[in-house]
Amino acid sequence: MEQSQGVDRHKNEVIRLERESVIPILKPRLIMTLANLIEHSSDRAEFLKLCKRIEYTIRAWYLLQFEDLMQLYSLFDPIHGEQKLAQQKLATEEIDVLEQNFLTYLFQVMEKSNFKIVTDDEIDVAHSGQYLLNLPITVDESKLDKKLLKKYFEEHPHDDLPDFSDKYVIFRRGIGIDRTTDYFVMEKVDMLIARFWAYLLRLTRLEKLLSRRSRRRNKKDPKKENEINCEANGDEFYVERIRLENMQLSSRNLLGKTLIQEPTFDRMIVVYRRASTKSKAERGIFVKHFKNIPMADMEIVLPEKKNPGLTPMDWVKFLGSAVVGLVAVVSSLEMPTADWWVIFAVLSTVIGYCAKTYFTFQQNLAQYQNLITQSMYDKQLDSGKGTLLHLCDDVIQQEVKEVIVSFFILMEQGKATRQDLDQWCEELIKEEFGEECNFDVDDAVEKLEKLGIVNRDSIGRFQCVGLKRANEIIGTTTEELVLKARQGNITS
């Protein structure tokens, strides 16, 4: 991996991530590229017709489920849901059942769209570094409902749920990279102070004591750690994190512009409900959709955030500086001949350091407010019904692309085992489009068998029917009849 200038080569942070099942290629480009690989023009026309029929059929399969999802959400829309619930005149128990049905549909769509619930381990990895957000952000849990999601996960257990899953759920999909180049003046000053503090700890041997306590609290099984390290395979990839904390100390790096880099979650969706009050029972369910969120700044998508304040370490710096300054001044005054220049120097240093801590906090606060504003206008894609419509379309697009790629491979290669089909599909995507993904072959084959255009031989290998026969099996779709009728009206 290429090293970035100004970053210590021995301290590069690399995050290992699991390759996802999303096919990151636009469907029209995928279809036309595969069609151009077919030699005969008649077969190419049949293939293009088959692609349309596959999409129309899969869309019809999901239509009823998506309609149910939208109808249910209309009852729990934070804006108009309350009025619609009042019109229905439902009992409390009936509303409870409906909202659990909505969550069931929602989580199914999330799974089909290849979204995953963020785990505590992923959050720990994300928070192990800092990027643009340098303030501790916490959630005001008193403003969040704790019953809705808790009840859902009791009835639908999931593995590796985060600690906050009873209050809100964060889904993520896709990995990207965000780079920022700036002078980072105050951040570099903080980095220098942190390194000097670490040097003092090593000098006084307090570092060993603190690290021993830390290891005792976070003791890991070395055997388990080795197993985790050995699990790296073709389904995983690595992303580099470039931070100021690992920067080489030089005048060029300290005074010039510096590049920092952070992996991002390409898409994030947050689901939660606000807490009820004594006068009003909350039924609205919030579904918010974000894009390109840096891992280390994941806090900007959290619901009901508290206003940030000075950290405990900032208060320690304030009080420590004040005590040191007071002791130095008193000691100087007790001397027979007090040196006023020394007293002035001590006071100036203490006041300057306190001012630096305060202004650093103010700068971080302003940066936090800018990030929140940016997340609202630039990084928030949609919310509520718009997010659900986007998810429904995502499901259809991914399913269609998986089915088309699998059928194309079987058409070109003939019979294939599950492992071979999976490998050939991934190789095709990499060779023709330069993209990598963990192809979901099981889901694709299931759809092909449901369509009736793929079957298995006596030893379990998959094989497809011919293109013309595949079109006959699926048959003329409603969409084709509508298009034909429309063309006829235009002609007449």
Side-chain angles (χ1 to χ4, degrees), residues 102-117:
F102 166 72
L103 288 180
T104 302
Y105 281 129
L106 176 62
F107 276 70
Q108 288 174 356
V109 171
M110 289 290 189
E111 184 178 359
K112 286 292 183 182
S113 295
N114 297 304
F115 276 89
K116 296 181 179 179
I117 297 176

Side-chain angles (χ1 to χ4, degrees), residues 411-462:
M411 181 181 69
E412 294 292 315
Q413 301 289 346
K415 296 181 180 181
T417 63
R418 179 202 169 280
Q419 290 79 10
D420 288 340
L421 181 58
D422 186 34
Q423 179 183 344
W424 291 340
C425 288
E426 291 178 0
E427 289 176 354
L428 174 70
I429 292 171
K430 186 173 182 180
E431 291 171 4
E432 295 297 330
F433 305 98
E435 301 284 355
E436 294 185 0
C437 72
N438 182 18
F439 192 81
D440 190 356
V441 68
D442 293 327
D443 191 46
V445 167
E446 180 186 344
K447 297 291 185 300
L448 286 167
E449 290 182 320
K450 188 176 179 181
L451 286 165
I453 57 178
V454 162
N455 52 56
R456 306 189 194 199
D457 63 12
S458 57
I459 58 174
R461 292 180 301 178
F462 299 105

Side-chain angles (χ1 to χ4, degrees), residues 189-441:
V189 173
D190 281 340
M191 180 267 295
L192 291 173
I193 292 173
R195 289 194 182 185
F196 179 70
W197 180 250
Y199 169 75
L200 288 180
L201 289 177
R202 287 196 302 271
L203 199 64
T204 57
R205 297 184 179 181
L206 290 174
E207 183 186 39
K208 293 183 179 180
L209 177 63
L210 295 174
S211 62
R212 194 179 299 123
R213 290 182 178 178
S214 177
R215 283 198 299 269
R216 195 177 299 131
R217 283 196 304 267
N218 303 311
K219 195 173 183 179
K220 294 183 179 180
D221 186 356
K223 183 177 179 182
K224 185 177 180 182
E225 191 72 25
N226 290 334
E227 289 174 358
I228 293 173
N229 291 335
C230 292
E231 286 176 358
N233 51 45
D235 292 337
E236 295 173 343
F237 67 105
Y238 300 86
V239 180
E240 185 179 5
R241 169 185 271 172
I242 302 175
R243 299 195 295 154
L244 288 176
E245 288 84 346
N246 300 330
M247 184 181 69
Q248 294 176 342
L249 292 182
S250 68
S251 57
R252 180 183 178 185
N253 291 333
L254 290 173
L255 300 177
K257 287 188 175 182
T258 304
L259 169 71
I260 59 175
Q261 173 177 294
E262 179 70 15
T264 63
F265 289 122
D266 188 51
R267 295 290 184 269
M268 298 193 81
I269 292 179
V270 184
V271 180
Y272 66 97
R273 168 183 282 171
R274 288 177 178 163
S276 300
T277 61
K278 293 181 179 179
S279 58
K280 181 183 178 183
E282 281 287 346
R283 288 291 185 176
I285 299 175
F286 290 84
V287 183
K288 295 188 177 182
H289 193 184
F290 299 87
K291 66 174 181 178
N292 303 329
I293 301 298
M295 289 186 180
D297 294 345
M298 193 193 300
E299 297 95 330
I300 62 178
V301 306
L302 295 177
E304 303 298 333
K305 293 178 281 291
K306 292 181 180 179
N307 290 326
L310 287 173
T311 65
M313 182 56 70
D314 290 332
W315 285 110
V316 169
K317 290 177 182 178
F318 266 124
L319 296 176
S321 301
V323 170
V324 170
L326 182 63
V327 170
V329 170
V330 171
S331 301
S332 300
L333 291 174
E334 288 179 351
M335 294 177 64
T337 56
D339 191 336
W340 292 103
W341 285 110
V342 173
I343 296 174
F344 176 76
V346 171
L347 287 176
S348 299
T349 302
V350 171
I351 294 172
Y353 186 75
C354 291
K356 178 262 169 193
T357 303
Y358 174 77
F359 286 119
T360 298
F361 166 74
Q362 290 297 326
Q363 182 191 36
N364 289 340
L365 183 61
Q367 198 167 20
Y368 163 75
Q369 292 168 344
N370 288 335
L371 280 173
I372 295 300
T373 303
Q374 185 183 20
S375 72
M376 293 298 294
Y377 291 98
D378 297 339
K379 294 186 177 295
Q380 185 167 338
L381 284 175
D382 216 324
S383 63
K385 189 175 181 180
T387 298
L388 298 182
L389 289 170
H390 185 87
L391 285 171
C392 293
D393 187 62
D394 259 2
V395 171
I396 294 170
Q397 298 298 317
Q398 288 298 320
E399 299 271 301
V400 170
K401 288 186 283 188
E402 288 171 0
V403 169
I404 289 173
V405 171
S406 300
F407 185 87
F408 180 85
I409 287 293
L410 290 174
M411 181 181 69
E412 294 292 315
Q413 301 289 346
K415 296 181 180 181
T417 63
R418 179 202 169 280
Q419 290 79 10
D420 288 340
L421 181 58
D422 186 34
Q423 179 183 344
W424 291 340
C425 288
E426 291 178 0
E427 289 176 354
L428 174 70
I429 292 171
K430 186 173 182 180
E431 291 171 4
E432 295 297 330
F433 305 98
E435 301 284 355
E436 294 185 0
C437 72
N438 182 18
F439 192 81
D440 190 356
V441 68

Side-chain angles (χ1 to χ4, degrees), residues 37-55:
L37 296 176
I38 299 174
E39 185 177 354
H40 300 291
S41 58
S42 58
D43 290 341
R44 197 179 304 127
E46 288 288 340
F47 178 75
L48 292 174
K49 183 196 290 186
L50 178 64
C51 290
K52 288 182 179 179
R53 290 187 173 182
I54 286 173
E55 179 175 1

